[in-house]
Amino acid sequence: LAKDRGKSATAVYEPRLHEESLRRLQLRADLQKAVRRDELVLHFQPTVDLNTRQVVGFEALVRWQHPEQGLLGPVLFIPIAEESGLIVPLGSWVLRNACVAAASMQSDAHTPTMSVNVSSQQLDQSGFVEEVTRVLAETGLPPHRLCLEITESVVLNDLDRVRAVLSQLRALGIRIAIDDFGTGYSSLAYLSNLPVDVLKVDKSFVDRIVSDEQSGSLTRAIIAMSGAMKLATVAEGVEHDDQASWLELAACSYGQGYLWSKPVPYERATELLAELSVSRIRPGRSDVAGR
Ligand code: C2E
Ligand code: MG
Ligand code: MG
Ligand code: MG
């Protein structure tokens, strides 16, 4: 039976796979020109203080305004950028533009932080620390307002080298976050050995905190240990108010999710920042294709 199914599956999926790889090749060719042609766009998703429900920062999330296919989400092109090495110039573009945006969001009343996702290939570049230093100097963004997000798998790849680079970045005064915590194989023990400031609990945990007792206990333990290591904890993908209340009770400091806002263009982000109480913000759905 398994053999039969395997055969028919091959017959059904082969043409689709072919189509899929053609599509990827085309996207890769297009992506090569996207940075030059100024087709990349940053959207910003607020991070909210769970006690005050006010916006304390934003995460810059890249989108691609594709000439034929519309606004594409990063899940559709970041993997292509990574396998082709294009992630390095793309990541540089994101870093610079996120810092420019953050610097201009500065006012007397608000100094939001800006989080930028960094891929392992960027960290591996020998001049990465110099690049960050230069971008901060040229945009005038104070280092403490920049946070770089890296995923656990990046950390585990090459622990010693990553630790060295992170230490240099942190010496500049910028913050480091571990993104999507809980999806990889790392343990909290690793973290205690790393120069890290923020831990972002993955959405897959947050999804089930209210409904599933085990996910709840696990998340409570992560938040408690994160706090014991003096890290700030951010819960990702908060969609419902009961999750926000649960997290607040569990002493999680910050949240991010559609409950408050989807990622939005710069103009809208500055409006969100200006509103005193973000609890008045209407929940929003996804802004892009690809999710
Ligand atoms: P991430 O860094 O974990 O970002 C969070 C993702 O979850 C974003 O998806 C965000 O829109 C989505 N999200 C936030 N709140 C909710 C929610 O309440 N419900 C649901 N269903 N989703 C929510 P997005 O923008 O599609 O980005 C996906 C991933 O692509 C990011 O995950 C990040 O790993 C990567 N990425 C995005 N921008 C960049 C970039 O500039 N450089 C690199 N290297 N990776 C990036
Ligand atoms: Mg992130
Ligand atoms: Mg994340
Ligand atoms: Mg995530």
Side-chain angles (χ1 to χ4, degrees):
L1 196 82
K3 205 175 167 191
D4 283 354
R5 206 167 42 217
K7 249 188 198 161
S8 64
T10 308
V12 171
Y13 289 120
E14 233 173 31
R16 279 214 213 136
L17 272 178
H18 184 61
E19 231 171 76
E20 178 59 24
S21 56
L22 276 180
R23 201 176 114 82
R24 282 174 77 92
L25 272 176
Q26 185 58 52
L27 268 187
R28 179 174 159 168
D30 293 347
L31 190 57
Q32 226 139 21
K33 303 170 213 147
V35 179
R36 253 191 299 119
R37 292 184 179 170
D38 214 24
E39 292 171 359
L40 298 179
V41 188
L42 287 183
H43 280 186
F44 304 93
Q45 187 179 36
T47 302
V48 172
D49 182 317
L50 286 171
N51 286 121
T52 65
R53 302 291 170 107
Q54 290 189 337
V55 175
V56 294
F58 292 94
E59 177 173 4
L61 294 154
V62 69
R63 277 88 182 87
W64 177 11
Q65 188 63 59
H66 190 281
E68 284 110 37
Q69 298 182 37
L71 194 63
L72 303 182
V75 292
L76 291 175
F77 63 89
I78 288 287
I80 298 172
E82 285 186 327
E83 70 192 27
S84 60
L86 284 169
I87 191 69
V88 174
L90 188 154
S92 294
W93 184 92
V94 170
L95 176 68
R96 177 169 295 272
N97 284 277
C99 289
V100 168
S104 71
M105 282 176 184
Q106 202 158 352
S107 75
D108 291 341
H110 304 291
T111 49
T113 58
M114 183 61 70
S115 295
V116 175
N117 294 285
V118 171
S119 113
S120 64
Q121 286 179 60
Q122 290 175 271
L123 277 190
D124 285 346
Q125 302 285 305
S126 57
F128 185 67
V129 178
E130 287 75 12
E131 179 184 346
V132 175
T133 309
R134 202 167 50 239
V135 169
L136 287 172
E138 287 171 10
T139 60
L141 185 70
H144 69 270
R145 292 186 52 213
L146 177 64
C147 178
L148 298 182
E149 298 192 1
I150 56 171
T151 58
E152 330 174 60
S153 53
V154 169
V155 177
L156 292 178
N157 253 350
D158 188 352
L159 194 58
D160 289 331
R161 192 180 133 65
V162 169
R163 187 188 287 121
V165 176
L166 295 186
S167 299
Q168 290 176 51
L169 289 168
R170 214 146 161 257
L172 298 177
I174 71 178
R175 287 187 251 186
I176 307 291
I178 299 293
D179 205 355
D180 303 336
F181 186 81
T183 56
Y185 299 97
S186 73
S187 66
L188 285 159
Y190 269 109
L191 287 185
S192 62
N193 251 324
L194 276 175
V196 165
D197 307 274
V198 180
L199 189 148
K200 298 187 77 171
V201 181
D202 192 63
K203 178 178 187 299
S204 56
F205 288 89
V206 177
D207 281 342
R208 293 179 299 165
I209 45 176
V210 178
S211 59
D212 175 46
E213 206 173 311
Q214 203 176 338
S215 297
S217 318
L218 209 54
T219 305
R220 230 187 295 276
I222 292 173
I223 294 166
M225 288 170 89
S226 172
M229 289 187 292
K230 307 271 188 285
L231 307 180
T233 316
V234 182
E236 293 189 326
V238 181
E239 294 180 346
H240 308 287
D241 206 45
D242 57 355
Q243 292 171 315
S245 315
W246 189 101
L247 288 159
E248 191 185 353
L249 260 177
C252 179
S253 316
Y254 306 101
Q256 201 182 354
Y258 293 176
L259 171 63
W260 297 287
S261 174
K262 65 184 182 182
V264 292
Y266 176 81
E267 295 300 330
R268 181 69 189 126
T270 56
E271 286 171 17
L272 291 180
L273 188 62
E275 291 179 32
L276 274 178
S277 170
V278 296
S279 49
R280 276 185 268 123
I281 295 170
R282 308 288 315 150
R285 295 234 301 276
S286 174
D287 56 330
V288 288
R291 273 200 304 272

